Amino acid sequence: MEPLIAPPEYEFYEGDEAEEMLEKALGRFFVLYALCRVEYEGRAKSELDWGLRILISKPDGTLLIHERDKHKPRNWQPPGCKLYLLRKGRWPVLMSVRRRPHEVIRVVLEKVLALLIINQVAREELALEKTEADLVSKVVREPSLIEEGLEVIDVEHPTPVGTIDLLARDGEGRLVVCEFKRSVAGLDAVSQLRRYVEQMAEAHGREKVRGILVAPAITSTAMRYLAKLGLEYKRLTF
């Protein structure tokens, strides 16, 4: 039995060899650098004249066609499309077909300059760390991190002016509106907290509602604004 050989992380081809290997690239992750013309037909019609462009094709059917400037592609197809290579005419044509709604992109390849086929690409889901929700969960598990005697009433509490991150009650029976920020809290955070406190005060009376801005840090201007409004700040880190 022959030993198993892991595929290389990538394969790189240039010139005529790159064009020949295009068939092998279909259905895989590849990057193509080529002189091409792009035709689109679907909800409308459009055409990009001859030019050097970068094409990125992914195994899920995604196709992106980039030019020199800007981060957005000039043309693209979403996941679920099918990519074909046609060699019947003067130049080879890459054709991406979307069935519903029906959309077609044809890339006429006058000159293929380089082809990079990538065999190993990360598929991990984006993992967000240190979010505001993490801080809220921390307080839900241990309300005393804000202050002793605090009782959590609700998380993501809806109001007509937005959603309160955490609504609680202190040891003296007053409602406590807590607005959380994952990094340095600024004036916008104070204004947001003020709106929530004012909304709750309309129903319960201002003397029965407190507001606390919870964040790892706060700007000096935001701290002064808090004090002016009679609101509070609690430093809480991850």
Side-chain angles (χ1 to χ4, degrees):
M1 179 182 294
E2 294 183 0
L4 294 176
I5 301 176
E9 294 180 358
Y10 64 89
E11 304 164 49
F12 180 71
Y13 307 96
E14 294 181 275
D16 293 341
E17 187 181 19
E19 183 178 321
E20 293 172 5
M21 297 305 294
L22 264 176
E23 202 90 48
K24 180 181 178 181
L26 298 182
R28 300 165 70 182
F29 194 119
F30 71 83
V31 179
L32 181 69
Y33 180 46
L35 175 62
C36 61
R37 185 179 76 241
V38 182
E39 303 166 353
Y40 165 79
E41 184 176 350
R43 290 165 289 183
K45 286 187 177 182
S46 66
E47 181 177 316
L48 296 177
D49 206 355
W50 296 106
L52 290 170
R53 297 182 176 89
I54 294 174
L55 285 73
I56 301 174
S57 178
K58 301 183 181 182
D60 65 0
T62 300
L63 178 68
L64 307 170
I65 303 175
H66 284 278
E67 295 185 342
R68 184 183 66 178
D69 300 321
K70 301 181 181 180
H71 70 284
K72 291 185 178 180
R74 288 297 304 272
N75 291 81
W76 64 281
Q77 289 275 59
C81 296
K82 185 70 174 177
L83 190 65
Y84 303 90
L85 178 63
L86 310 178
R87 294 188 181 271
K88 294 181 180 180
R90 180 179 178 185
W91 295 299
V93 176
L94 277 173
M95 185 170 70
S96 174
V97 179
R98 184 184 187 186
R99 299 199 178 280
R100 294 184 182 178
H102 183 70
E103 294 180 293
V104 178
I105 287 181
R106 297 179 183 87
V107 183
V108 183
L109 302 166
E110 179 177 343
K111 183 66 175 179
V112 175
L113 301 174
L115 172 66
L116 176 65
I117 302 175
I118 304 170
N119 298 315
Q120 298 183 31
V121 182
R123 298 185 62 182
E124 297 292 330
E125 294 293 329
L126 179 64
L128 295 176
E129 298 181 356
K130 298 184 177 179
T131 66
E132 291 171 10
D134 292 331
L135 285 179
V136 173
S137 296
K138 194 172 181 179
V139 172
V140 170
R141 292 192 301 268
E142 193 175 349
S144 60
L145 290 171
I146 301 296
E147 66 182 34
E148 292 294 337
L150 193 73
E151 176 188 355
V152 175
I153 298 175
D154 195 14
V155 174
E156 296 291 321
H157 184 77
T159 78
V161 295
T163 302
I164 297 172
D165 290 336
L166 185 144
L167 184 64
R169 193 179 305 278
D170 67 14
E172 298 180 10
R174 293 173 295 183
L175 291 174
V176 182
V177 176
C178 297
E179 175 63 25
F180 289 74
K181 295 299 173 187
R182 65 182 296 273
S183 56
V184 181
L187 291 174
D188 288 347
V190 179
S191 297
Q192 190 175 3
L193 176 62
R194 175 182 59 81
R195 290 196 302 272
Y196 296 152
V197 169
E198 289 176 351
Q199 178 64 35
M200 298 301 291
E202 287 182 8
H204 303 279
R206 182 63 183 89
E207 70 283 354
K208 296 182 179 180
V209 180
R210 296 167 56 196
I212 302 179
L213 183 56
V214 184
I218 187 172
T219 65
S220 57
T221 52
M223 193 67 182
R224 289 194 294 271
Y225 189 25
L226 268 180
K228 180 180 179 180
L229 296 173
L231 303 175
E232 307 165 49
Y233 166 67
K234 177 65 179 182
R235 182 175 182 270
L236 184 64
T237 65
F238 292 96

Coordinates of all heavy atoms in Angstrom, one line a residue, residues 7-41:
P7 N -2.3 16.6 0.5 CA -2.2 17.6 -0.6 C -1.4 18.8 -0.1 O -1.4 19.2 1.0 CB -3.6 17.9 -0.9 CG -4.4 17.6 0.4 CD -3.6 16.5 1.0
P8 N -0.7 19.5 -1.1 CA 0.0 20.7 -0.7 C -1.0 21.8 -0.3 O -2.2 21.7 -0.7 CB 0.7 21.1 -2.0 CG -0.1 20.5 -3.1 CD -0.6 19.2 -2.5
E9 N -0.6 22.8 0.5 CA -1.5 23.8 0.9 C -2.0 24.6 -0.3 O -3.1 25.2 -0.2 CB -0.7 24.7 1.9 CG -0.4 24.0 3.2 CD 0.4 24.9 4.2 OE1 0.6 26.1 3.8 OE2 0.6 24.5 5.3
Y10 N -1.2 24.8 -1.3 CA -1.6 25.5 -2.5 C -0.8 25.0 -3.7 O 0.2 24.4 -3.6 CB -1.4 27.0 -2.3 CG 0.0 27.4 -2.1 CD1 0.8 27.8 -3.3 CD2 0.6 27.5 -0.9 CE1 2.1 28.1 -3.1 CE2 2.0 27.9 -0.8 CZ 2.7 28.2 -1.9 OH 4.0 28.5 -1.8
E11 N -1.4 25.4 -4.9 CA -0.7 25.1 -6.2 C -0.7 26.4 -7.0 O -1.7 27.0 -7.1 CB -1.5 24.0 -6.9 CG -1.7 22.7 -6.1 CD -2.7 21.8 -6.8 OE1 -2.7 21.6 -8.0 OE2 -3.6 21.4 -6.0
F12 N 0.4 26.7 -7.5 CA 0.6 28.0 -8.3 C 1.0 27.7 -9.7 O 2.0 26.9 -9.9 CB 1.6 28.9 -7.6 CG 1.8 30.2 -8.3 CD1 0.7 31.1 -8.3 CD2 2.9 30.5 -9.0 CE1 0.9 32.4 -8.9 CE2 3.1 31.7 -9.6 CZ 2.1 32.6 -9.6
Y13 N 0.3 28.3 -10.7 CA 0.6 28.1 -12.1 C 0.7 29.5 -12.8 O 0.0 30.4 -12.4 CB -0.4 27.2 -12.8 CG -0.6 25.9 -12.1 CD1 -1.7 25.8 -11.1 CD2 0.2 24.8 -12.3 CE1 -1.9 24.6 -10.5 CE2 0.0 23.6 -11.6 CZ -1.1 23.5 -10.7 OH -1.3 22.3 -10.1
E14 N 1.5 29.6 -13.8 CA 1.6 30.8 -14.6 C 1.4 30.6 -16.0 O 1.6 29.5 -16.5 CB 3.0 31.5 -14.4 CG 3.3 32.0 -12.9 CD 4.6 32.6 -12.8 OE1 5.6 31.9 -12.6 OE2 4.7 33.8 -13.0
G15 N 1.0 31.6 -16.8 CA 0.9 31.6 -18.2 C 0.0 30.5 -18.8 O -1.1 30.2 -18.3
D16 N 0.6 29.8 -19.8 CA -0.2 28.8 -20.5 C -0.6 27.7 -19.5 O -1.7 27.1 -19.6 CB 0.6 28.2 -21.7 CG 0.8 29.3 -22.8 OD1 0.0 30.2 -22.8 OD2 1.7 29.1 -23.6
E17 N 0.3 27.3 -18.6 CA 0.0 26.3 -17.7 C -1.2 26.7 -16.8 O -2.0 25.8 -16.4 CB 1.2 25.9 -16.8 CG 1.0 24.7 -15.9 CD 2.2 24.4 -15.1 OE1 3.1 25.3 -14.9 OE2 2.3 23.3 -14.6
A18 N -1.2 27.9 -16.4 CA -2.4 28.4 -15.6 C -3.7 28.2 -16.3 O -4.7 27.8 -15.7 CB -2.1 29.9 -15.2
E19 N -3.7 28.5 -17.6 CA -4.9 28.4 -18.3 C -5.3 26.9 -18.4 O -6.5 26.5 -18.3 CB -4.8 29.0 -19.7 CG -6.1 28.9 -20.6 CD -5.9 29.5 -21.9 OE1 -5.2 30.6 -22.0 OE2 -6.5 28.9 -22.9
E20 N -4.3 26.0 -18.6 CA -4.6 24.6 -18.8 C -5.2 24.0 -17.5 O -6.0 23.1 -17.5 CB -3.3 23.9 -19.1 CG -2.8 24.2 -20.5 CD -1.4 23.6 -20.8 OE1 -0.9 22.8 -19.9 OE2 -0.9 23.8 -21.9
M21 N -4.7 24.5 -16.3 CA -5.1 24.0 -15.0 C -6.5 24.5 -14.5 O -6.9 24.2 -13.5 CB -4.0 24.3 -14.0 CG -2.7 23.6 -14.3 SD -2.9 21.8 -14.5 CE -3.4 21.3 -12.9
L22 N -7.1 25.4 -15.3 CA -8.4 26.0 -14.9 C -9.4 25.0 -14.6 O -10.2 25.0 -13.7 CB -8.9 27.0 -15.9 CG -8.5 28.5 -15.6 CD1 -9.0 29.4 -16.8 CD2 -9.1 29.0 -14.3
E23 N -9.4 24.0 -15.5 CA -10.4 22.9 -15.3 C -10.3 22.2 -14.0 O -11.3 21.9 -13.3 CB -10.2 21.8 -16.4 CG -11.4 21.0 -16.7 CD -12.3 21.6 -17.8 OE1 -11.8 22.0 -18.8 OE2 -13.5 21.6 -17.6
K24 N -9.0 22.0 -13.5 CA -8.8 21.4 -12.2 C -9.2 22.3 -11.1 O -9.6 21.8 -10.0 CB -7.3 21.1 -12.1 CG -6.8 20.5 -10.8 CD -5.3 20.3 -10.8 CE -4.9 19.7 -9.5 NZ -3.4 19.5 -9.4
A25 N -9.3 23.6 -11.3 CA -9.6 24.5 -10.2 C -11.1 24.6 -9.9 O -11.5 25.0 -8.9 CB -9.1 25.9 -10.6
L26 N -11.9 24.2 -10.9 CA -13.4 24.3 -10.7 C -13.9 23.6 -9.4 O -13.5 22.4 -9.2 CB -14.1 23.8 -11.9 CG -13.9 24.5 -13.2 CD1 -14.7 23.9 -14.4 CD2 -14.1 26.0 -13.1
G27 N -14.7 24.2 -8.7 CA -15.2 23.6 -7.5 C -14.3 23.7 -6.3 O -14.6 23.2 -5.2
R28 N -13.2 24.4 -6.5 CA -12.2 24.5 -5.4 C -12.0 26.0 -5.1 O -12.5 26.9 -5.8 CB -10.9 23.9 -5.8 CG -11.0 22.4 -6.0 CD -9.8 21.8 -6.8 NE -8.6 21.7 -5.9 CZ -7.5 21.3 -6.4 NH1 -7.3 20.9 -7.6 NH2 -6.4 21.3 -5.5
F29 N -11.2 26.3 -4.1 CA -10.9 27.7 -3.8 C -9.7 28.1 -4.7 O -8.6 27.6 -4.6 CB -10.5 27.8 -2.3 CG -10.5 29.2 -1.8 CD1 -11.3 29.6 -0.8 CD2 -9.6 30.2 -2.3 CE1 -11.3 30.9 -0.3 CE2 -9.6 31.5 -1.9 CZ -10.4 31.9 -0.9
F30 N -10.0 29.1 -5.6 CA -8.9 29.6 -6.4 C -8.9 31.1 -6.6 O -9.9 31.7 -6.5 CB -8.8 28.8 -7.7 CG -9.9 29.2 -8.7 CD1 -9.8 30.3 -9.5 CD2 -11.0 28.3 -8.8 CE1 -10.8 30.6 -10.4 CE2 -12.0 28.6 -9.7 CZ -11.9 29.8 -10.5
V31 N -7.7 31.6 -6.9 CA -7.6 33.0 -7.2 C -6.9 33.1 -8.6 O -5.9 32.5 -8.9 CB -6.6 33.7 -6.2 CG1 -6.5 35.2 -6.6 CG2 -7.2 33.6 -4.8
L32 N -7.6 33.9 -9.5 CA -7.1 33.9 -10.9 C -6.8 35.4 -11.3 O -7.6 36.3 -11.0 CB -8.3 33.4 -11.8 CG -8.0 33.4 -13.3 CD1 -6.9 32.4 -13.6 CD2 -9.3 33.1 -14.1
Y33 N -5.7 35.6 -11.9 CA -5.3 36.9 -12.3 C -5.2 36.8 -13.9 O -4.5 36.1 -14.5 CB -3.9 37.2 -11.8 CG -3.3 38.6 -12.2 CD1 -4.1 39.7 -12.2 CD2 -2.0 38.7 -12.6 CE1 -3.6 41.0 -12.6 CE2 -1.5 40.0 -13.0 CZ -2.3 41.1 -13.0 OH -1.8 42.3 -13.3
A34 N -6.1 37.7 -14.5 CA -6.3 37.5 -15.9 C -6.7 38.8 -16.6 O -7.3 39.7 -16.0 CB -7.3 36.4 -16.2
L35 N -6.4 38.9 -17.9 CA -6.9 39.9 -18.8 C -8.2 39.4 -19.3 O -8.3 38.4 -19.9 CB -5.9 40.2 -19.9 CG -6.4 41.2 -21.0 CD1 -6.7 42.6 -20.4 CD2 -5.4 41.3 -22.1
C36 N -9.3 40.1 -19.0 CA -10.6 39.6 -19.2 C -11.7 40.6 -19.5 O -11.5 41.8 -19.2 CB -11.1 38.7 -18.1 SG -11.2 39.6 -16.5
R37 N -12.8 40.2 -20.0 CA -14.0 41.0 -20.2 C -15.1 40.3 -19.4 O -15.2 39.1 -19.4 CB -14.4 41.1 -21.6 CG -15.6 42.1 -21.9 CD -15.9 42.2 -23.4 NE -16.7 41.0 -23.8 CZ -16.2 40.3 -24.8 NH1 -15.1 40.5 -25.4 NH2 -17.0 39.2 -25.2
V38 N -15.9 41.1 -18.7 CA -17.0 40.5 -17.8 C -18.3 41.0 -18.3 O -18.6 42.1 -18.5 CB -16.7 41.0 -16.4 CG1 -17.8 40.3 -15.5 CG2 -15.3 40.6 -15.9
E39 N -19.2 40.0 -18.5 CA -20.6 40.2 -18.9 C -21.5 39.7 -17.9 O -21.4 38.6 -17.4 CB -20.9 39.6 -20.3 CG -19.9 40.0 -21.4 CD -20.0 39.0 -22.6 OE1 -20.7 38.0 -22.5 OE2 -19.3 39.3 -23.6
Y40 N -22.5 40.5 -17.5 CA -23.5 40.1 -16.5 C -24.9 40.2 -17.2 O -25.2 41.2 -17.9 CB -23.5 41.0 -15.3 CG -24.7 40.9 -14.4 CD1 -24.9 39.8 -13.6 CD2 -25.8 41.8 -14.5 CE1 -26.0 39.6 -12.8 CE2 -26.9 41.6 -13.7 CZ -27.0 40.6 -12.9 OH -28.1 40.4 -12.1
E41 N -25.7 39.2 -16.9 CA -27.1 39.2 -17.3 C -28.0 38.6 -16.3 O -27.7 37.5 -15.7 CB -27.3 38.4 -18.6 CG -28.7 38.4 -19.2 CD -28.7 37.7 -20.5 OE1 -27.7 37.3 -21.1 OE2 -29.9 37.4 -21.0

